[in-house]
Amino acid sequence: MDHKELAELLFPDINKTIEDLEREYPERDLAEGARVTRLAPSPTGFIHLGNLFGAMADERMAHQSNGICYLRVEDTDEKREVEGAVPILLDTLSYFGINFDEGACKNGTQESRPSGVDPEGSERGAYGPYWQSARGDIYKVCIKYLVEKGMAYPCFMTEEEIDAIRKEQEAGKINPGIYGKYAKDRDLSLDEIKKRIAEGRSYVIRFKSPGDESRYFTCYDEIRGNISMPENVQDVVILKKNDLPTYHFAHVVDDHFMRTTHVVRGEEWMASLPIHVQLFEAMEWEHPVYVHNTSLMKIDETTGQKRKLSKRKDPELGLSFYKELGYFPEAVREYLMTILCSDFEEWRIANPSADYDEFKFSAEKMSDSGTLFDINKLNDVSKDVLARKTAKEIYDFMLGWAKEFQPEKAKLLEDNKDMLLKVFDIDRGGEKPRKDLIYAGQIFEFVKYFFDEYFVYESEWPAEVSKEDRKEILQRYLESYDPSDDNAAWFEKIRAITADMGYAVKPKDYKKNPESYKGHVGHVSGVVRIAVTGRANSPDLWTIQQILGRERVEERIRRAEEA
Ligand code: GLU
């Protein structure tokens, strides 16, 4: 067989060579040890925690080593493509603090790809196109090269034939796939190929695997160390009928010519590693270092079992979930880092106020088996992150969130800026800051009693206090209330009412002799607290009243007398 003739027959218009591409995309001029990483999502429009998880590893590895982190759009599967997915992806990742140095850009749309009319704006960088659908000729140069080497061939098998083979293999419990004797078109003669093409029969290009299943190869993974696996024997498809490459081939070509040094990707790709390593060998290229990260798991509420987070069942998998609820991006990032790297939490405890970028990220510390995602833990991390923010930072974030997701609340926040700054400042700073703020939606709920239009009685009145007593407590409170009292003087008055009305001033006295008292000071102040805030629990009540101001406090007390 004259492979050169076959290559010309299949790719008559491809004139460039591998050497041309090597010249066009030379080794990057970076310092020793600089890493080049990439995020390579399919533009499906769904951006999930796994994307962010990987992107954070990519971003840290690259920027910590003065390298490059770029975005490549893997749009060779037309069925999965969603219009506008890339701008959304970039916006979302940027919201979470991930910005790329190179690659597909925000105004990149299906129309404005590099192959289209407007190459500007859709990408930047010297290693593009960064949209796989625009790289057709690059892949073909490489496939032509493999055909010339006798390592790739056209395969005319129909879906029915392939189906029949699959059934036969299933019945015989034989490894599925097109390999060995099942690869029927592996050794077609040039004449036969010419004849079939002349008949207009459609074909794909398959890789002619030189593998032997009984042979093992070893590949280093930065998380898992050396992995030993049997060689690939499958004649995988490298060029599909739609003239675009499969993931396997595109990965090899792109990561070579974009000069990627480290490939961070999901562990679901581990199984295809033998294919990729073999393709790199066939092309006579060195493969990048692989970093297969683990899947995010959760404990299923109904079964109690650990399982993978699923797009269908778990809304918390999508990043929009966190954006819409108003999680601070740092909180999500910080939490992911906590579960991504085994040494992050310890570092954070030792460096509570250090910038996240100061943490020394290393893939060796990444988990190699099912990382457990737990939203309660995220909330705890978020409380810590928010405790480090200023009242102004919280206010500004809340306002931005409300404008985007709850516009009816935005005006309220704007009109009450001064009040909210004081509210967010309660017990902020100092040794032991309050840790009850988690995300914008929750913060609004937490402080909404400051707004008359949202005020409701959420808690039950204390059972120890009769309705008559409640009224009397409130009446006495109203008579004695003086906003110029300091916290101590204010509480002294509560105590006076408590003692006067037959309640214990010290809770422990009541606990010792419950029959001697109607209740204790906590029940009396509880009545006032519910009257003012609608809640049995709140931050410091005196401070809340100072913020609300005399008129509104008195109004609420009067209203509670009638409740
Ligand atoms: N498009 C692939 C995916 O979304 C990329 C995997 C990789 O990073 O190589 O899973």
Side-chain angles (χ1 to χ4, degrees):
M1 152 82 95
D2 183 342
H3 293 119
K4 225 167 157 68
E5 194 182 339
L6 176 60
E8 276 317 313
L9 175 70
L10 297 175
F11 301 104
D13 304 329
I14 298 296
N15 301 315
K16 271 193 190 170
T17 63
I18 301 281
E19 289 72 38
D20 293 332
L21 293 177
E22 293 287 350
R23 267 192 300 276
E24 229 172 289
Y25 304 106
E27 290 286 346
R28 290 170 184 265
D29 186 16
L30 292 170
E32 178 81 26
R35 294 185 171 197
V36 179
T37 60
R38 83 299 190 272
L39 189 70
S42 305
T44 61
F46 180 64
I47 313 150
H48 51 84
L49 279 174
N51 294 133
L52 181 58
F53 197 58
M56 281 168 49
D58 283 326
E59 190 277 337
R60 284 293 74 217
M61 281 185 180
H63 293 155
Q64 215 168 251
S65 65
N66 295 319
I68 298 281
C69 179
Y70 70 89
L71 177 67
R72 178 170 76 227
V73 182
E74 306 223 318
D75 57 346
T76 59
D77 188 352
E78 288 148 351
K79 285 189 276 301
R80 300 176 62 203
E81 179 140 6
V82 169
E83 184 68 51
V86 171
I88 297 173
L89 177 98
L90 281 158
D91 272 349
T92 307
L93 288 175
S94 168
Y95 176 82
F96 287 101
I98 308 289
N99 295 297
F100 298 96
D101 309 301
E102 178 180 308
C105 285
K106 203 166 155 184
N107 5 7
T109 62
Q110 277 172 292
E111 285 73 42
S112 71
R113 275 173 199 167
S115 57
V117 276
D118 169 31
E120 304 316 320
S122 57
E123 61 175 29
R124 69 198 147 102
Y127 288 81
Y130 297 89
W131 301 71
Q132 287 184 332
S133 59
R135 298 175 63 78
D137 281 0
I138 298 178
Y139 303 121
K140 285 182 187 162
V141 171
C142 302
I143 293 174
K144 188 172 185 183
Y145 172 71
L146 286 182
V147 175
E148 277 170 14
K149 275 178 85 173
M151 295 195 77
Y153 64 90
C155 170
F156 300 86
M157 288 164 88
T158 60
E159 297 219 356
E160 293 73 40
E161 279 175 277
I162 294 174
D163 257 4
I165 289 176
R166 188 181 312 124
K167 290 204 181 99
E168 181 190 328
Q169 290 166 332
E170 269 167 20
K173 298 203 167 35
I174 303 165
N175 277 347
I178 302 303
Y179 59 92
K181 68 169 182 180
Y182 301 106
K184 292 192 183 144
D185 293 352
R186 221 177 190 224
D187 297 310
L188 291 180
S189 68
L190 188 54
D191 286 345
E192 181 61 24
I193 293 172
K194 281 186 185 162
K195 183 172 146 261
R196 291 187 187 188
I197 291 177
E199 284 166 7
R201 285 175 64 177
S202 64
Y203 61 87
V204 296
I205 306 276
R206 286 184 186 271
F207 175 54
K208 200 178 218 173
S209 169
D212 175 341
E213 225 169 359
S214 63
R215 278 199 309 251
Y216 276 66
F217 72 99
T218 304
C219 181
Y220 175 73
D221 177 290
E222 203 163 50
I223 299 180
R224 294 145 211 271
N226 282 330
I227 326 173
S228 179
M229 294 173 106
E231 283 181 6
N232 170 59
V233 293
Q234 302 276 344
D235 281 5
V236 290
V237 174
I238 51 179
L239 192 68
K240 297 183 284 189
K241 286 199 172 134
N242 66 2
D243 226 24
L244 286 169
T246 51
Y247 166 78
H248 304 309
F249 199 66
H251 149 53
V252 169
V253 171
D254 293 347
D255 284 317
H256 174 72
F257 283 118
M258 294 182 182
R259 308 295 175 183
T260 310
T261 64
H262 290 72
V263 167
V264 180
R265 62 181 182 184
E267 67 185 347
E268 65 276 13
W269 292 112
M270 286 262 290
S272 335
L273 192 57
I275 299 172
H276 304 152
V277 169
Q278 205 171 57
L279 284 170
F280 271 106
E281 272 168 17
M283 294 303 302
E284 294 150 48
W285 296 331
E286 233 176 86
H287 64 75
V289 177
Y290 287 100
V291 185
H292 288 100
N293 69 26
T294 171
S295 308
L296 289 171
M297 318 279 284
K298 74 180 265 184
I299 304 284
D300 188 282
E301 289 97 8
T302 42
T303 64
Q305 303 287 323
K306 210 169 161 182
R307 64 163 172 79
K308 261 192 187 182
L309 279 174
S310 109
K311 180 174 166 182
R312 201 168 44 81
K313 294 190 205 153
D314 307 309
E316 72 268 33
L317 183 60
L319 289 186
S320 55
F321 176 85
Y322 304 93
K323 230 179 138 186
E324 283 161 24
L325 284 176
Y327 274 91
F328 275 59
E330 294 100 301
V332 176
R333 218 164 60 165
E334 183 108 357
Y335 170 63
L336 282 183
M337 207 48 139
T338 308
I339 55 174
L340 185 64
C341 287
S342 60
D343 53 346
F344 182 76
E345 201 166 8
E346 206 177 305
W347 173 84
R348 178 48 85 202
I349 292 167
N351 304 279
S353 53
D355 199 281
Y356 146 105
D357 289 352
E358 288 170 31
F359 170 68
K360 261 208 93 33
F361 178 92
S362 98
E364 283 93 353
K365 292 281 196 283
M366 277 169 78
S367 162
D368 64 358
S369 65
T371 302
L372 202 59
F373 178 84
D374 174 359
I375 199 138
N376 297 317
K377 180 85 201 264
L378 163 65
N379 289 343
D380 285 344
V381 169
S382 191
K383 287 177 187 171
D384 286 338
V385 169
L386 266 60
R388 296 196 289 268
K389 300 252 167 240
T390 64
K392 169 98 171 45
E393 284 169 326
I394 294 186
Y395 174 80
D396 289 345
F397 180 81
M398 291 278 297
L399 185 60
W401 164 80
K403 280 184 178 159
E404 189 168 354
F405 298 106
Q406 312 251 325
E408 74 287 357
K409 290 181 181 143
K411 178 145 179 15
L412 195 64
L413 296 181
E414 266 167 338
D415 291 348
N416 291 285
K417 178 170 180 179
D418 292 342
M419 177 183 84
L420 284 167
L421 287 176
K422 288 184 201 148
V423 172
F424 296 145
D425 225 14
I426 301 177
D427 290 339
R428 190 153 292 280
E431 283 285 285
K432 278 199 163 216
R434 286 189 74 86
K435 291 189 177 170
D436 32 29
L437 306 185
I438 309 175
Y439 54 88
Q442 175 266 346
I443 298 173
F444 187 83
E445 286 301 308
F446 189 71
V447 302
K448 70 177 183 191
Y449 59 83
F450 281 96
F451 302 113
D452 293 337
E453 49 275 65
Y454 283 93
F455 179 91
V456 278
Y457 294 111
E458 290 175 27
S459 302
E460 297 288 328
W461 298 103
E464 290 78 359
V465 182
S466 68
K467 198 158 180 211
E468 296 72 48
D469 272 11
R470 187 205 310 161
K471 222 172 154 130
E472 191 178 337
I473 291 169
L474 293 170
Q475 266 165 7
R476 285 177 182 240
Y477 183 76
L478 195 59
E479 279 159 23
S480 70
Y481 175 62
D482 180 351
S484 64
D485 286 340
D486 65 10
N487 206 332
W490 168 77
F491 197 59
E492 218 23 77
K493 287 183 175 170
I494 299 257
R495 286 178 155 167
I497 298 171
T498 302
D500 250 23
M501 289 183 61
Y503 291 77
V505 172
K506 291 186 181 138
K508 70 168 190 284
D509 292 345
Y510 170 66
K511 273 174 203 140
K512 250 190 267 158
N513 298 305
E515 60 296 330
S516 318
Y517 304 96
K518 295 186 201 166
H520 63 69
V521 67
H523 303 129
V524 174
S525 62
V527 167
V528 179
R529 190 183 300 277
I530 295 175
V532 175
T533 69
R535 297 177 182 175
N537 292 303
S538 77
D540 182 64
L541 187 54
W542 179 81
T543 312
I544 291 172
Q545 296 183 114
Q546 298 305 109
I547 296 172
L548 281 170
R550 164 169 229 149
E551 222 171 281
R552 293 175 74 204
V553 171
E554 290 184 350
E555 214 174 77
R556 287 186 182 191
I557 299 291
R558 268 189 225 108
R559 174 177 165 185
E561 282 178 40
E562 309 306 322

